[in-house]
Amino acid sequence: MPNAVKEERDLSFKPVVNAAPRRLTGRQISFYNEFGYVMPLEGFTPLEAGRNRVYFDDLLGKVKKTRSDLDAYSINGFHVCCAGLYDIVTNPVILDHVQDLIGPDVVCWGSHFFCKQALDPRKVAWHQDASYWPLTPARTVTVWLAIDDADRANAAMMFLPGTHKMGHLKWREVALDKAILNQEIENAGRFGQPVHDELKAGQFSLHADMLAHGSEPNHSDRRRCGLTIRYCPPSVRSLIPAWHGGAVLCRGSGAGSPWVYHSRPVGDDVEARVRSIGAN
C-alpha cells in the first residue's frame, strides 16, 4: 500500500464495552481489551471438526487440480463462491463470540486458510494484520479456527500480548522464500514473551487486527491448518473501493455501508475463484 493511503487510516484500538455479552464473560472481554486476544474457544465438536478437515482437503484438491502451481496458502476469499465455507463463516456460535466484541451488525469481509504443511520451512513473520489492509478504522476481529490440532511442535500461531495498543509498529520487508507474508516487525523481541495459540481442531481464538502475531516454520511431520475469518462492523470502510466487493452480511443491518454483500452461493464454484487468482 502507498504511504499516502496508510496515513489516512485510523489504526488506534478502541476498547470493547459490552455489559450483556452473549458468549464471552466480562473477564474475557477485559482480557481482550488488555492483551488483544481470547483463546481457546469452542466452535465445533470433534465430529464437526473432522468434517471441516475433510472439506478443506477436498477444497485444496480441487484448487490443485485446477491450477497445479497454487500452494496450500492459496485458498483466500473463497467464502463468496463456496457454500461450505460460507456456512463456516456464518456459524452462529462463532458469530455470537464476534458480536460480543464488535456489536450486533457483523460483516465478514475476508477468509483465508493458512495451511502449513509438514516440514514447511517458511515462517509467518511478526506482523499486524491491519498494516496490510486499506481499512479504517481498525476494528476488524480475526477468528483463527483450527482445522488441524495446532501446538508448539507444529508451529502454532503466537501472540505478543498488548501490542494492539501500541499503534502501527515499524516493519521491514522480508523475502517470500523465507516467509509467507512480506512484512516483519523490527526487533519484535522487545515486546516480551510470546503466547502460543494452541488449539484443538474445532476450537478457535479471537484477536484484534493490531495485535502483533506470527508463527515459526513447521519442523514437525504434522500439518497445521487454520482458517482465518475477518469480521468488522459495517462502519468500517476501505480506502480502496475494490475491497468492498467480497463481503457477507452475517448479522444485523448493513444499511448505508459501502460493502457489497453476497448471498449464500449454490455449491462450491472453485474454478471461478481460481481463475481470478494471479499466476505465481
Side-chain angles (χ1 to χ4, degrees), residues 234-249:
S235 56
V236 172
R237 64 184 179 86
S238 173
L239 301 179
I240 300 176
W243 274 60
H244 294 133
V248 170
L249 181 62

Side-chain angles (χ1 to χ4, degrees), residues 111-123:
S111 67
H112 192 178
F113 284 99
F114 278 77
C115 179
K116 282 181 181 285
Q117 300 286 15
L119 304 178
D120 188 335
R122 292 173 296 174
K123 64 183 178 180

Side-chain angles (χ1 to χ4, degrees), residues 52-226:
N52 288 344
R53 187 180 302 109
V54 169
Y55 179 74
F56 169 75
D57 291 343
D58 180 66
L59 203 58
L60 181 59
K62 289 177 179 176
V63 168
K64 296 287 288 182
K65 183 177 180 180
T66 305
R67 283 268 305 274
S68 60
D69 61 307
L70 296 178
D71 63 17
Y73 297 97
S74 61
I75 305 178
N76 186 2
F78 281 47
H79 59 283
V80 299
C81 64
C82 292
L85 190 49
Y86 181 100
D87 291 343
I88 293 175
V89 306
T90 57
N91 176 277
V93 175
I94 290 177
L95 294 179
D96 280 351
H97 288 83
V98 171
Q99 180 172 330
D100 284 344
L101 298 181
I102 68 174
D105 301 322
V106 180
V107 173
C108 169
W109 63 260
S111 67
H112 192 178
F113 284 99
F114 278 77
C115 179
K116 282 181 181 285
Q117 300 286 15
L119 304 178
D120 188 335
R122 292 173 296 174
K123 64 183 178 180
V124 176
W126 291 112
H127 68 283
Q128 295 169 298
D129 288 337
S131 181
Y132 284 93
W133 306 332
L135 303 181
T136 188
R139 300 289 181 268
T140 293
V141 170
T142 292
V143 164
W144 202 98
L145 172 65
I147 303 301
D148 305 318
D149 292 348
D151 51 46
R152 296 187 186 206
N154 68 344
M157 183 167 62
M158 300 177 292
F159 301 128
L160 289 174
T163 49
H164 63 303
K165 299 184 291 184
M166 298 180 181
H168 196 187
L169 301 173
K170 188 176 181 182
W171 57 271
R172 60 176 177 265
E173 288 200 17
V174 59
L176 291 178
D177 61 338
K178 299 181 183 300
I180 306 306
L181 304 174
N182 71 338
Q183 293 186 16
E184 183 170 40
I185 293 171
E186 293 186 352
N187 193 21
R190 71 188 187 275
F191 299 116
Q193 286 295 317
V195 172
H196 287 78
D197 188 24
E198 296 189 284
L199 302 169
K200 293 294 185 182
Q203 293 182 324
F204 67 97
S205 60
L206 301 165
H207 69 265
D209 54 4
M210 289 298 287
L211 181 69
H213 59 286
S215 62
E216 296 292 340
N218 183 6
H219 297 299
S220 79
D221 60 0
R222 293 181 295 123
R223 190 182 74 178
R224 189 233 66 182
C225 180

